[in-house]
Amino acid sequence: MKAYVVRGGFGLDHVVQVDRPIPEPGPGQALVRLKALSLNSRDIGVIEGFYNPERTEGLIPVSDGVGEIVALGEGAARFKLGDRVCGIFTQSWIDGEPTPANWTSTLGSPLNGLLAEYAMLPEEGLVRVPDHLSDAEAATLPCAAVTAWHAVVEEGQVRAGDTVVVQGTGGVSMFALQFAKLQGAQVIVTSGSGEKLERALAMGADHGILYTEKADWENAVLAYTQGRGADHIVDVGGAATLNRSVAALRVGGRISIVGLLSGAAVEDFAIVPAILKKARLQAINVGSRAMFESMNRAIGHNGLRPAIDSVFPFDEAVEALRRLKTGSYFGKICITL
Ligand SMILES: NC(=O)c1ccc[n+]([C@@H]2O[C@H](COP(=O)([O-])OP(=O)(O)OC[C@H]3O[C@@H](n4cnc5c(N)ncnc54)[C@H](OP(=O)(O)O)[C@@H]3O)[C@@H](O)[C@H]2O)c1
């Protein structure tokens, strides 16, 4: 089978296509013939040596994909041949709170990812995907969508009448927009691009703020909410946005700490404003299989469709990864096989 591995160093120039034998499923395992993949900024982080650099040589990158079950090992009974499934991001996190050991079972680092024609996964690490989604759409779910679902619905408990702020128009944020709307909230989107804001408004956002023109977007949020502040902010910016998120929050509101797009450490975090806001900071780490399954029910019942930026053929996977590095996309970048 064709597969990509990271070989001989870090960076996109070290992502090379290789030939590997198609694996045989052992007890409790399923062989999945991949049909589509989607990219997350973490995939670039893995390839560039930011995550688990000591485990990256020879690794198959990319955590998210969907495929068809083509062989089952002895005793594997959760699925049948032909079922369309996604691998869950954290393979061993089935339900409840995660344990530190779960973090050693994430796809695309430290475990091999899915940038290959076939993948062998334990049947426990798979979920069926909603029928109405195309392969590319279904491939977007494991990381970005489950993270947004965890932040907004499972942990965030966003309710009708709430105001939710999502930052930028990337994968997590566009899912967070859709899930917050599903809960009956109004959604404010910030973006560095007027054109992307228009697309977010077309997807159901209620208000857009161009942060390149209005760097103090927190004041625009306060103005839009008549001084009350937002009930929930999905913070993907990290270093440059967390203090502003606190400032944009209502008293007793929640911030989902999700991303680190502008840096992984906030050296000047202002504790007093956070105390005065009684801010509830909840850190999110993708989600469990149970969360993925309940999210899929919601997506299925409501006919939601993920925002897809572009779709590349498998042989142009490195070009797809290059597009991810540009930051000039809207929603998810996919690869089909
Ligand atoms: N904790 C978790 O479980 C988890 C799970 C998934 C992802 N993440 C992290 O969450 C972040 C977002 O992930 P993603 O997959 O949604 O990324 P993505 O699809 O690459 O989103 C990138 C978009 O975010 C916006 N952006 C970039 N820098 C920004 C900044 N400084 N402030 C505000 N917005 C900014 C831009 O949108 P505009 O051009 O519209 O401004 C950009 O196109 C990443 O740091 C990722 O590593 C964490």
Side-chain angles (χ1 to χ4, degrees), residues 124-143:
E124 295 296 332
L126 298 170
V127 294
R128 257 186 215 92
V129 295
D131 289 338
H132 75 283
L133 298 181
S134 69
D135 291 333
E137 288 170 336
T140 66
L141 302 178
C143 180

Side-chain angles (χ1 to χ4, degrees), residues 115-130:
L115 194 51
E117 289 179 308
Y118 293 86
M120 179 78 77
L121 295 169
E123 62 164 358
E124 295 296 332
L126 298 170
V127 294
R128 257 186 215 92
V129 295

